[in-house]
Amino acid sequence: LRRAAHADVVAGRAFVGDVEGRRKDGTAVHVYLSARLVDQDEDESAVVWTIEDISEQRRTELALDRAKREMEVIFESAVVGITLVRNGIVVRCNRRFEEIFGYGPGEMTGLSTRAWYLTEDEYTGVGAQAYAALSQDNYHCRQQQFQRADGSTFWGELQFSRIEQPARAAWLVTVSDVSTRMNLARDLENS
């Protein structure tokens, strides 16, 4: 640390660092350090150091990072498809969502939700119904046929809920392939 700080300080630059140290009692402390020569023309030993205890901030960052990693594992291992949609565009989705709709990894990001529907009328109709329901109780669920990337269809159950993000709204959408259940129900009705 002294060598790194010395190199910066004698070159006329401020040294900044983020290090873990020990308090007098032996407990760990995370600090943000900065050092600068008092006067370039004076003795190199005239250095002003500032030290800020950022232990709590560091603990918070580590907890947030751990929570983010845990949520990522849940998101990616869910048995239902999950996507985040903003302005009718897929912002992000898990691998299961891509599999249900027949897309490869990353192919749905940036795709219009129009690609899910068989016709333009279905797309606009579902949107109108979903937005009306979401404005009432922030939830909408429906079962209908959807279109895969290859043009084939499947019965899906779609659930929408609105989530607020800083300065803009987005929709959390989950989908389950319920083709087997729907086909079984249809077969029972016909027998």
Side-chain angles (χ1 to χ4, degrees), residues 128-149:
Q129 290 173 8
Y131 293 133
L134 289 164
S135 68
Q136 296 283 322
D137 62 6
N138 197 34
Y139 179 77
H140 180 68
C141 180
R142 68 181 308 107
Q143 293 177 346
Q144 72 177 68
Q145 281 198 309
F146 292 99
Q147 181 170 275
R148 290 190 177 95

Side-chain angles (χ1 to χ4, degrees), residues 153-175:
T153 61
F154 71 98
W155 278 97
E157 182 172 278
L158 217 60
Q159 298 179 35
F160 298 79
S161 59
R162 180 182 168 110
I163 58 172
E164 294 294 331
Q165 293 190 323
R168 53 192 172 167
W171 309 101
L172 182 65
V173 181
T174 63
V175 68

Side-chain angles (χ1 to χ4, degrees), residues 51-163:
I51 302 171
E52 179 184 358
D53 183 348
I54 59 169
S55 300
E56 189 60 38
Q57 175 186 337
R58 188 73 175 130
R59 277 190 292 276
T60 300
E61 289 170 356
L62 290 171
L64 285 172
D65 187 52
R66 185 173 45 253
K68 182 180 174 186
R69 285 192 314 269
E70 289 170 356
M71 291 305 296
E72 190 66 32
V73 168
I74 292 167
F75 182 76
E76 288 303 328
S77 61
V79 295
V80 296
I82 305 170
T83 187
L84 181 67
V85 174
R86 186 176 293 115
N87 299 325
I89 302 296
V90 174
V91 175
R92 183 167 186 227
C93 64
N94 67 355
R95 186 65 193 117
R96 181 65 184 135
F97 197 89
E98 294 168 327
E99 289 168 350
I100 290 171
F101 280 95
Y103 287 86
E107 290 181 345
M108 291 192 84
T109 302
L111 188 68
S112 169
T113 56
R114 167 62 181 95
W116 307 347
Y117 299 94
L118 305 178
T119 67
E120 186 68 27
D121 288 342
E122 273 187 11
Y123 172 65
T124 55
V126 168
Q129 290 173 8
Y131 293 133
L134 289 164
S135 68
Q136 296 283 322
D137 62 6
N138 197 34
Y139 179 77
H140 180 68
C141 180
R142 68 181 308 107
Q143 293 177 346
Q144 72 177 68
Q145 281 198 309
F146 292 99
Q147 181 170 275
R148 290 190 177 95
D150 64 5
S152 64
T153 61
F154 71 98
W155 278 97
E157 182 172 278
L158 217 60
Q159 298 179 35
F160 298 79
S161 59
R162 180 182 168 110
I163 58 172

Side-chain angles (χ1 to χ4, degrees), residues 1-2 4-6 8-9 13-19 30-38 46-54:
L1 179 63
R2 285 183 64 196
H6 185 264
D8 280 350
V9 168
R13 297 184 303 263
F15 168 79
V16 293
D18 184 341
V19 297
H30 209 95
V31 295
Y32 177 79
L33 303 169
S34 66
R36 184 179 278 288
L37 272 177
V38 173
V47 176
V48 173
W49 284 88
T50 59
I51 302 171
E52 179 184 358
D53 183 348
I54 59 169

